[in-house]
Amino acid sequence: MITREAPALDFSASPSGYVRFVHPLHAVLLAFVFPLFLGTLAADIAYWRSAEIQWTNFAQWLNAGGLLVGGFALLAALVSLVRHRKFAIRRPAVYFVVLLAAWIVGFVNALVHSKDAWAIMPEALWWSGAAALLALVATWLGYAGFPAEEKH
Protein backbone atom coordinates (compact mmCIF):
# COMPACT_ATOMS: atom_id res chain seq x y z
CA MET A 1 0.00 0.00 0.00
CA ILE A 2 1.43 3.33 -1.10
CA THR A 3 0.64 6.39 0.98
CA ARG A 4 1.35 9.95 0.07
CA GLU A 5 1.22 12.99 2.25
CA ALA A 6 -1.21 15.65 1.19
CA PRO A 7 0.48 18.85 0.07
CA ALA A 8 0.26 21.72 2.52
CA LEU A 9 -2.35 24.26 1.58
CA ASP A 10 -0.94 27.71 0.93
CA PHE A 11 -3.57 30.42 1.14
CA SER A 12 -1.02 33.21 1.05
CA ALA A 13 -1.43 33.99 -2.66
CA SER A 14 -3.76 32.83 -5.36
CA PRO A 15 -2.82 32.37 -9.03
CA SER A 16 -4.36 35.78 -9.76
CA GLY A 17 -1.80 37.45 -7.50
CA TYR A 18 -4.29 38.36 -4.77
CA VAL A 19 -4.02 37.41 -1.11
CA ARG A 20 -7.10 36.48 0.89
CA PHE A 21 -7.16 38.01 4.36
CA VAL A 22 -10.53 36.61 5.46
CA HIS A 23 -10.51 33.40 7.52
CA PRO A 24 -13.01 30.77 6.24
CA LEU A 25 -15.20 31.10 9.37
CA HIS A 26 -15.13 34.86 8.91
CA ALA A 27 -16.16 34.35 5.29
CA VAL A 28 -19.19 32.31 6.37
CA LEU A 29 -20.27 35.04 8.78
CA LEU A 30 -19.73 37.69 6.13
CA ALA A 31 -21.89 35.75 3.68
CA PHE A 32 -24.97 36.40 5.81
CA VAL A 33 -24.62 40.14 6.43
CA PHE A 34 -25.53 41.44 2.97
CA PRO A 35 -28.51 39.11 2.34
CA LEU A 36 -30.02 39.91 5.74
CA PHE A 37 -29.72 43.68 5.27
CA LEU A 38 -30.98 43.30 1.70
CA GLY A 39 -33.94 41.33 3.05
CA THR A 40 -34.63 44.18 5.45
CA LEU A 41 -34.71 46.56 2.50
CA ALA A 42 -37.01 44.22 0.56
CA ALA A 43 -39.40 43.93 3.52
CA ASP A 44 -39.44 47.72 3.92
CA ILE A 45 -40.23 48.13 0.23
CA ALA A 46 -43.03 45.58 0.59
CA TYR A 47 -44.44 47.52 3.56
CA TRP A 48 -44.13 50.80 1.67
CA ARG A 49 -46.07 49.33 -1.26
CA SER A 50 -48.72 47.39 0.69
CA ALA A 51 -49.05 49.02 4.15
CA GLU A 52 -49.29 45.49 5.61
CA ILE A 53 -47.81 45.85 9.09
CA GLN A 54 -46.42 42.30 9.14
CA TRP A 55 -43.70 43.42 6.70
CA THR A 56 -42.26 45.72 9.38
CA ASN A 57 -41.98 42.71 11.70
CA PHE A 58 -40.10 40.81 8.99
CA ALA A 59 -37.83 43.82 8.48
CA GLN A 60 -37.10 44.04 12.21
CA TRP A 61 -36.16 40.36 12.45
CA LEU A 62 -34.02 40.44 9.33
CA ASN A 63 -32.26 43.57 10.58
CA ALA A 64 -31.69 41.96 13.99
CA GLY A 65 -30.19 38.92 12.26
CA GLY A 66 -27.93 41.18 10.20
CA LEU A 67 -26.79 42.95 13.35
CA LEU A 68 -26.14 39.69 15.20
CA VAL A 69 -24.14 38.03 12.42
CA GLY A 70 -22.59 41.36 11.46
CA GLY A 71 -21.35 41.81 15.02
CA PHE A 72 -19.54 38.48 14.88
CA ALA A 73 -18.16 39.30 11.42
CA LEU A 74 -17.01 42.66 12.78
CA LEU A 75 -15.30 40.92 15.68
CA ALA A 76 -13.57 38.54 13.25
CA ALA A 77 -12.50 41.51 11.11
CA LEU A 78 -11.05 43.24 14.16
CA VAL A 79 -9.11 40.10 15.15
CA SER A 80 -7.83 39.81 11.59
CA LEU A 81 -6.84 43.46 11.58
CA VAL A 82 -4.95 43.13 14.88
CA ARG A 83 -3.25 39.89 13.78
CA HIS A 84 -2.06 41.48 10.53
CA ARG A 85 -0.99 44.85 11.86
CA LYS A 86 1.35 45.48 8.96
CA PHE A 87 -1.70 45.66 6.68
CA ALA A 88 -3.60 48.03 8.97
CA ILE A 89 -3.23 51.01 6.63
CA ARG A 90 -4.45 49.13 3.57
CA ARG A 91 -7.61 47.46 2.32
CA PRO A 92 -8.27 45.35 5.47
CA ALA A 93 -8.62 48.57 7.46
CA VAL A 94 -11.00 50.00 4.86
CA TYR A 95 -12.96 46.75 4.96
CA PHE A 96 -13.24 46.96 8.75
CA VAL A 97 -14.39 50.59 8.66
CA VAL A 98 -17.03 49.90 5.98
CA LEU A 99 -18.31 46.85 7.88
CA LEU A 100 -18.43 48.93 11.07
CA ALA A 101 -20.36 51.65 9.21
CA ALA A 102 -22.83 49.03 7.92
CA TRP A 103 -23.33 47.74 11.46
CA ILE A 104 -23.85 51.26 12.87
CA VAL A 105 -26.34 52.14 10.12
CA GLY A 106 -28.10 48.82 10.77
CA PHE A 107 -28.29 49.68 14.47
CA VAL A 108 -29.81 53.08 13.71
CA ASN A 109 -32.22 51.26 11.40
CA ALA A 110 -33.21 49.02 14.32
CA LEU A 111 -33.95 52.12 16.39
CA VAL A 112 -36.05 53.53 13.56
CA HIS A 113 -37.94 50.24 13.24
CA SER A 114 -38.74 50.33 16.96
CA LYS A 115 -41.21 53.16 16.33
CA ASP A 116 -44.82 52.62 15.40
CA ALA A 117 -45.22 50.91 12.01
CA TRP A 118 -47.02 53.89 10.48
CA ALA A 119 -44.27 56.27 11.63
CA ILE A 120 -41.22 54.50 10.16
CA MET A 121 -41.73 55.40 6.49
CA PRO A 122 -39.82 56.69 4.57
CA GLU A 123 -37.02 56.91 7.12
CA ALA A 124 -36.67 53.12 7.52
CA LEU A 125 -36.48 52.70 3.77
CA TRP A 126 -33.49 55.04 3.53
CA TRP A 127 -31.67 53.46 6.48
CA SER A 128 -32.29 49.96 5.12
CA GLY A 129 -30.97 50.99 1.72
CA ALA A 130 -27.86 52.53 3.24
CA ALA A 131 -27.19 49.45 5.40
CA ALA A 132 -27.64 47.11 2.42
CA LEU A 133 -25.33 49.22 0.25
CA LEU A 134 -22.62 49.38 2.91
CA ALA A 135 -22.95 45.65 3.54
CA LEU A 136 -22.54 45.02 -0.20
CA VAL A 137 -19.36 47.12 -0.30
CA ALA A 138 -18.02 45.41 2.85
CA THR A 139 -18.76 41.97 1.41
CA TRP A 140 -17.06 42.91 -1.84
CA LEU A 141 -13.98 44.17 -0.03
CA GLY A 142 -13.93 41.17 2.29
CA TYR A 143 -13.91 38.63 -0.50
CA ALA A 144 -11.69 40.60 -2.90
CA GLY A 145 -8.43 40.33 -0.96
CA PHE A 146 -5.55 42.64 -1.80
CA PRO A 147 -2.70 42.55 -4.32
CA ALA A 148 0.17 40.32 -3.21
CA GLU A 149 2.75 42.80 -4.46
CA GLU A 150 1.16 45.72 -2.58
CA LYS A 151 3.65 47.48 -0.31
CA HIS A 152 2.72 46.84 3.30
Side-chain angles (χ1 to χ4, degrees):
M1 180 175 195
I2 300 173
T3 59
R4 293 187 331 180
E5 289 185 28
L9 296 176
D10 181 20
F11 291 112
S12 60
S14 67
S16 65
Y18 278 76
V19 176
R20 180 172 39 126
F21 62 90
V22 176
H23 187 273
L25 179 62
H26 183 180
V28 169
L29 292 170
L30 186 59
F32 285 95
V33 177
F34 174 62
L36 287 167
F37 282 144
L38 185 63
T40 304
L41 176 62
D44 280 340
I45 290 171
Y47 174 69
W48 177 57
R49 303 278 296 168
S50 70
E52 178 64 44
I53 294 176
Q54 188 63 30
W55 287 113
T56 63
N57 296 334
F58 293 150
Q60 289 171 344
W61 281 104
L62 289 165
N63 192 55
L67 288 173
L68 177 69
V69 177
F72 286 117
L74 196 57
L75 181 63
L78 180 63
V79 168
S80 177
L81 194 62
V82 170
R83 284 186 56 212
H84 302 102
R85 279 186 289 253
K86 61 183 177 179
F87 305 131
I89 59 170
R90 300 288 184 200
R91 203 172 295 172
V94 173
Y95 159 69
F96 175 77
V97 169
V98 173
L99 187 60
L100 178 63
W103 195 91
I104 290 170
V105 169
F107 182 75
V108 172
N109 193 20
L111 296 177
V112 169
H113 276 93
S114 69
K115 297 191 294 189
D116 183 61
W118 298 106
I120 66 171
M121 284 297 152
E123 189 179 4
L125 200 57
W126 294 110
W127 285 109
S128 295
L133 181 64
L134 286 168
L136 173 65
V137 171
T139 302
W140 189 289
L141 289 172
Y143 288 131
F146 59 90
E149 64 274 355
E150 187 174 298
K151 299 294 181 201
H152 307 295

